[in-house]
Amino acid sequence: MTDPQGFLKVGRVDNIYRPTDIRVMDYDEVELQLPVNERELQASRCMDCGTPFCHWGCPVSNLIPEWQDKLHKSDWKSAYELLQKTINFPEFTGRVCPAPCEASCVLAINADSVTIRANELAIIEHAFEAGYVQPNPPLVRTGKKVAVIGSGPAGLACADNLNKLGHTVMVYEAADALGGYLRYGIPDFKLKKSVIDRRVGILELEGLEFKTGVEAGVDIASDELIKKYDAICIAIGTRIPRDLQVEGRELKGVHFAVDYLTQQNKDVAGHEIRAQERITAKDKHVVVIGGGDTGSDCVGTSNRQAAKSVTQLEILLEPPQERTANNPWPLWPHTYTTSSSQKEGGERHFSTTTKKILGGNGRVNKLSIADVTWEKSEKGGFEMSEVPDTEKEIDADLVLLAMGFVHVMKDGLVNDLGITLSSRGNIQCDENYMTNVDGVFTAGDAKRGPSLIVWAFQEGRESAGNIHKYLMDE
Ligand SMILES: Cc1cc2nc3c(=O)[nH]c(=O)nc-3n(C[C@H](O)[C@H](O)[C@H](O)COP(=O)(O)OP(=O)(O)OC[C@H]3O[C@@H](n4cnc5c(N)ncnc54)[C@H](O)[C@@H]3O)c2cc1C
Ligand code: SF4
């Protein structure tokens, strides 16, 4: 057990973030690590609860109290060994997981939770530095061949586990680089891309094979995949962004957030972006429509591109500062938060709808917005209505649509294979992650809809376990 009185003696200390005025000048990661001794002290705050709710809150059921104990006792190697039992790539979750574990930490009932995510990051980064993370290829190959379609966190976790179980795995990726939204989506200032390359290097040494720039269903036909492989896992994410159906949508200067963020990732990676295709916030009034994480990433990117102003619009009510009675611990708190990007500048408006996009000479220059209210309807849900006489215009030279993603891409692979979809338009599967097509499995956002990296890991791992069982039963 960690220090039984650690939580009484030591207060929560978060990682240091680089000063906002300096970090907006570059795309380097904003978060810095605490010194080793302070990190070990933070681990001493874990109470090793009889029922560790953090473990319940973590989708991959990380052995949190167990590795906190090792960390507190300076046994970083054992901490790493425990950590890697339940999660393939903690260097990603350690950087960008919203940490549902911390929301359900028992300390969070009346105090600050343990710094679980940051401790996880410290363990894995220390493990890389100390050389504990070494290629560990399987000793025996089963002779079974599996294709994993998509190299986002779900595809990578699934492929990693299948490879470790001795199957021969090929990962097909449509984009020119591996990682899904880890690579093209999440900004470099939250997750530097060398972290993905470092892990891919190890996976390759372990025998995993990757083909980038290959869209399954287009560059390799779906019937060829079926013939060539003993099983397939479709982990293609939800990649259809939600659109805004209002007048003026067609004007130049209105873009999906993910296109904008991807282009900036490519720019940081040294790709040449043609001037006529460049989407930039420089000297522009930027309006981000959508108050979530993707919207926040657009705010951080726009500030780095020297926008004249940045405004983020959210249609929902402003969340309360504290938990409400119907949102108690240990559930995820629906409370007001400010991301590191939002701290860097910009305005936020809640309960605001966009009525029209206005422009001149084919380019956006204003948005017409109005206030809305949300009332409980007779059916129990909430209904939105516009507040009369609140319509107004705001400056907008660049509009970024960050309203989430609707469903999986149906054209191509999914339709060709005749895969059944859920009522939400995502891939349907049985409790073993197998679709209606024998031997074709799924995982991640493609199955559950837009979610989190840690859920993609969990599903990739589960899917791999079921594929293994299917192959070996065969
Ligand atoms: C901008 C942004 C920021 C985010 N920030 C966070 C965050 O901070 N924390 C967090 O936990 N989550 C975050 N998320 C959500 C998280 O990234 C996703 O939940 C996660 O990436 C889903 O993983 P996945 O493997 O299911 O799909 P994806 O990451 O979408 O990967 C799917 C992959 O499949 C490939 N593909 C698609 N079709 C084909 C085909 N036919 N053939 C071959 N390849 C194909 C795609 O190119 C892609 O690489 C963010 C998402 C976005 C968009
Ligand atoms: S993966 Fe996320 S939820 Fe799980 S322990 Fe790490 S930070 Fe917490």
Side-chain angles (χ1 to χ4, degrees), residues 6-17 31-46 68 71 102 105 107 111-122 343:
F7 71 100
L8 295 172
K9 296 188 287 199
V10 180
R12 175 176 168 122
V13 179
D14 282 305
N15 269 345
I16 304 149
Y17 283 73
E31 187 178 1
L32 303 173
Q33 301 267 339
L34 285 184
V36 165
N37 56 341
E38 285 191 43
R39 184 53 63 209
E40 290 171 358
L41 267 182
Q42 286 302 302
S44 78
R45 298 185 67 240
C46 176
Q68 303 284 18
L71 183 56
E102 292 187 19
C105 170
L107 263 182
D112 293 330
S113 65
V114 176
T115 53
I116 303 172
R117 177 192 60 80
N119 290 8
E120 177 176 337
L121 180 59
K343 284 182 186 153

Side-chain angles (χ1 to χ4, degrees), residues 96 149-150 152-154 173-174 180-181 190 214 216 236 239 297 445 451 453:
V96 295
I149 316 298
E173 170 52 58
Y181 286 138
K190 277 168 63 185
V214 179
I236 59 176
R239 301 216 136 226
D297 291 345
D445 283 7
S451 185
I453 284 160

Side-chain angles (χ1 to χ4, degrees), residues 96-98 149-155 172-175 179-182 185-186 190 214-217 235-239 258 261 293-294 297 405 413 443-446 450-454 456:
V96 295
C97 185
I149 316 298
S151 69
Y172 290 99
E173 170 52 58
Y181 286 138
L182 296 170
I186 298 178
K190 277 168 63 185
V214 179
E215 185 175 347
I236 59 176
T238 32
R239 301 216 136 226
V258 74
L261 295 171
D293 280 349
T294 303
D297 291 345
F405 296 85
L413 185 71
D445 283 7
S451 185
L452 297 173
I453 284 160
V454 63

Side-chain angles (χ1 to χ4, degrees), residues 27 65 73 91 145 183 208 231 259 289 323 335 340 343 354 357 388 425 433 441 469 473:
Y27 289 86
K73 291 173 180 153
E91 62 272 32
K145 287 167 47 176
R183 171 82 59 180
L208 255 184
D259 295 339
I289 303 181
R323 284 180 184 276
T335 50
S340 62
K343 284 182 186 153
T354 305
I357 304 175
Y433 285 67
F441 292 75
K469 195 166 176 304
D473 282 356

Side-chain angles (χ1 to χ4, degrees), residues 161-213:
N161 277 22
L162 286 169
N163 181 52
K164 295 241 163 72
L165 288 162
H167 306 298
T168 301
V169 186
M170 171 65 80
V171 180
Y172 290 99
E173 170 52 58
D176 61 2
L178 302 168
Y181 286 138
L182 296 170
R183 171 82 59 180
Y184 292 139
I186 298 178
D188 295 66
F189 53 80
K190 277 168 63 185
L191 169 65
K192 60 183 175 193
K193 307 311 168 195
S194 57
V195 174
I196 310 173
D197 300 334
R198 178 177 67 181
R199 179 58 73 171
V200 168
I202 290 175
L203 297 176
E204 282 175 332
L205 290 172
E206 290 176 333
L208 255 184
E209 291 182 84
F210 298 99
K211 275 196 179 147
T212 53

Side-chain angles (χ1 to χ4, degrees), residues 251-401:
L251 290 170
K252 285 204 181 93
V254 183
H255 301 273
F256 286 120
V258 74
D259 295 339
Y260 171 67
L261 295 171
T262 299
Q263 197 184 76
Q264 185 54 48
N265 290 141
K266 291 196 170 181
D267 189 49
V268 174
H271 292 231
E272 199 182 320
I273 316 281
R274 290 194 298 177
Q276 62 270 36
E277 285 169 13
R278 186 71 169 127
I279 312 169
T280 176
K282 188 166 169 41
D283 297 330
K284 289 184 183 151
H285 293 292
V286 180
V287 179
V288 179
I289 303 181
D293 280 349
T294 303
S296 155
D297 291 345
C298 291
V299 170
T301 305
S302 298
N303 280 324
R304 279 164 182 73
Q305 292 179 348
K308 216 184 267 175
S309 70
V310 185
T311 308
Q312 194 177 8
L313 306 180
E314 170 57 59
I315 200 162
L316 297 176
L317 289 172
E318 182 170 330
Q321 296 291 331
E322 303 288 336
R323 284 180 184 276
T324 51
N326 61 359
N327 177 220
W329 176 92
L331 302 177
W332 177 253
H334 297 289
T335 50
Y336 189 90
T337 53
T338 305
S339 71
S340 62
S341 290
Q342 286 160 339
K343 284 182 186 153
E344 291 161 1
E347 282 181 30
R348 292 165 80 184
H349 297 287
F350 291 88
S351 306
T352 305
T353 188
T354 305
K355 300 199 61 167
K356 258 186 262 171
I357 304 175
L358 310 165
N361 298 326
R363 270 206 78 84
V364 57
N365 57 24
K366 287 201 186 304
L367 279 192
S368 166
I369 59 171
D371 295 347
V372 294
T373 51
W374 291 89
E375 304 282 344
K376 238 192 173 142
S377 72
E378 281 169 11
K379 287 182 195 153
F382 280 87
E383 267 172 17
M384 187 191 87
S385 54
E386 191 181 320
V387 181
D389 304 323
T390 56
E391 191 167 344
K392 62 176 179 183
E393 290 178 6
I394 58 168
D395 290 332
D397 310 310
L398 174 66
V399 175
L400 300 169
L401 306 178

